[in-house]
Amino acid sequence: MAELSLTNLTKSYGQTPVLRDVSLDIAHGEFLTLLGPSGCGKSTLLRILAGLEVQDSGNLSIGGRNVDGLRPRARDVAMVFQSYALYPHMAVAANMALPLRMRRLSAWQRLPLIGRLLPGTGRTKAEIETAVASTAEALGIGHLLSRKPGQLSGGQRQRVAVGRAMVRDPAVFLMDEPLSNLDAKLRVQMRTEIKELHKRLGVTFVFVTHDQAEAMTLSDRVAVMLGGELLQVAKPQDIYADPADRRVAEFVGSPKINMLKAVVRERGRAETAGATLTLPVEQPPGTQLTLGIRPEAFQLAGRDRQDVLRGYVRLVEHLGSDLFVHLDLPGMDEPLIARLPVEQAAEAAVGRMLELTVPTERLLVFDEAGRRVRHSAHVVSVREYAR
Ligand SMILES: Nc1ncnc2c1ncn2[C@@H]1O[C@H](COP(=O)(O)OP(=O)(O)OP(=O)(O)O)[C@@H](O)[C@H]1O
Ligand SMILES: [Mg+2]
């Protein structure tokens, strides 16, 4: 059974649609990442899951229970915010204890003087203190409990925010770009910690980021979001190697995937950038297509090869382990980028003409609407026709 089930969720702010018909099932214990550029609606979707916003239409269930209309506190979820949202006047311990105090103590019990006199208050408070201390210990912030957020580094604040979510022991963690305020080195370190945390807790994580490296390294599945729409939900390697949509292919991968305009000339062959390439699918002659080619899919052609792309080297970027070679090809507005091994630096010098091949199965074919073409259209073959 899915831990989270999103069915046809939509949301607009005024006239502006922010979420368009979002449907998604997230399994128990899964690490799912929402990946998309700034403004695509990631935080809005997460806030709807947390119960901090209400969708205009569609349903949401958590743990098999419909939670529409259920207040945030009544849902079995905890959220780590983009800004951490720690209370500056409260010490770390109090910040971390807050969700438990709100849930386990009544309004009367939370009062400083009267609360102490009410039955059970002392015991519950002690339990909360123990839970906070052991969570803080697990996150390596046990020594910081009496500090205020302003006296912490970015990474420590981030841990406190995670700790505050952890003490609630939720079935689902919602994390909104929790690493975006950290410097590059710390980000990589915290990435590992979040992954370990997920493994240790074994609960469902929904993680939001616009950083593809983060999404690719952390997730069981990645949901690529653009303009309020989920374009593809798949394993990280499939998002990269087997994109369902041109926009997914272009959003993921650095340097960007090469996109070449092509026209089908005959069965399974298309003309592009001065070459004729064999396609992995057959389409009727005259069909306009776009071919997506990852930079690392290119190989230097041997002699007398057909199916080669020819271009002049305009620029070479040395990366130590590899070369990014920029080539000018006939009829292309932007240079083509090929990733080649450093051993080929001599051949790939600026000004030289290179001949490149691409294995047919590494050509990603997109139709005019940008959708991936995976199957051959039925074309009557010459042999069938002659029969
Ligand atoms: N309360 C609001 N009122 C009006 N518009 C809003 C509100 N909250 C968000 N928006 C708009 O909705 C769109 C999606 O916002 P959202 O915060 O979900 O994006 P995001 O994907 O989280 O972006 P980022 O990566 O920058 O955090 C944006 O265009 C934003 O301006
Ligand atoms: Mg956001």
Side-chain angles (χ1 to χ4, degrees), residues 37-44 82 176-177 208 210:
S38 185
C40 74
K42 305 181 295 293
S43 294
T44 304
Q82 206 161 355
D176 192 356
E177 311 221 23
V208 162
H210 61 263

Side-chain angles (χ1 to χ4, degrees), residues 1-235:
M1 187 183 58
E3 182 74 53
L4 283 147
S5 228
L6 291 60
T7 317
N8 308 115
L9 292 181
T10 66
K11 176 79 182 172
S12 298
Y13 288 118
Q15 295 296 310
T16 321
V18 176
L19 297 178
R20 302 163 195 263
D21 200 19
V22 172
S23 293
L24 175 64
D25 280 346
I26 304 172
H28 176 73
E30 183 170 14
F31 197 121
L32 182 118
T33 299
L34 293 170
L35 171 69
S38 185
C40 74
K42 305 181 295 293
S43 294
T44 304
L45 182 54
L46 213 61
R47 292 171 63 81
I48 289 175
L49 301 185
L52 300 167
E53 297 272 356
V54 183
Q55 69 269 31
D56 297 336
S57 62
N59 300 104
L60 169 62
S61 73
I62 300 177
R65 176 170 69 134
N66 187 292
V67 297
D68 299 325
L70 221 54
R71 285 174 311 145
R73 224 185 294 163
R75 301 179 181 199
D76 202 2
V77 305
M79 183 146 162
V80 177
F81 293 89
Q82 206 161 355
S83 57
Y84 308 151
L86 300 174
Y87 290 101
H89 60 288
M90 285 185 188
V92 167
N95 263 290
M96 285 177 66
L98 198 63
L100 284 185
R101 285 173 61 86
M102 298 304 280
R103 195 166 57 173
R104 301 205 26 207
L105 294 172
S106 69
W108 286 105
Q109 284 178 315
R110 289 198 297 271
L111 291 176
L113 291 174
I114 303 169
R116 222 178 291 162
L117 303 172
L118 293 173
T121 309
R123 187 162 28 90
T124 310
K125 278 191 173 167
E127 283 169 12
I128 292 174
E129 219 168 282
T130 311
V132 167
S134 72
T135 304
E137 221 41 66
L139 290 170
I141 50 173
H143 60 296
L144 303 173
L145 284 172
S146 55
R147 290 217 201 149
K148 298 271 169 64
Q151 300 165 316
L152 302 176
S153 73
Q156 290 167 336
R157 250 176 255 167
Q158 199 271 345
R159 283 196 185 89
V160 175
V162 170
R164 185 176 54 182
M166 265 173 82
V167 290
R168 294 183 56 177
D169 197 16
V172 181
F173 271 88
L174 305 173
M175 301 193 152
D176 192 356
E177 311 221 23
L179 309 181
S180 62
N181 295 326
L182 307 178
D183 66 46
K185 190 168 158 232
L186 197 54
R187 208 152 67 204
V188 174
Q189 185 192 332
M190 293 303 286
R191 204 196 276 170
T192 319
E193 287 188 18
I194 287 191
K195 183 141 185 135
E196 279 165 4
L197 185 70
H198 173 250
K199 221 188 278 170
R200 183 149 50 87
L201 299 176
V203 298
T204 312
F205 274 43
V206 183
F207 186 95
V208 162
T209 184
H210 61 263
D211 180 332
Q212 44 167 300
E214 238 167 73
M216 300 307 246
T217 50
L218 282 170
S219 325
D220 295 320
R221 280 191 309 160
V222 177
V224 182
M225 199 167 170
L226 218 84
E229 223 183 314
L230 287 189
L231 296 180
Q232 187 172 7
V233 186
K235 293 195 182 105

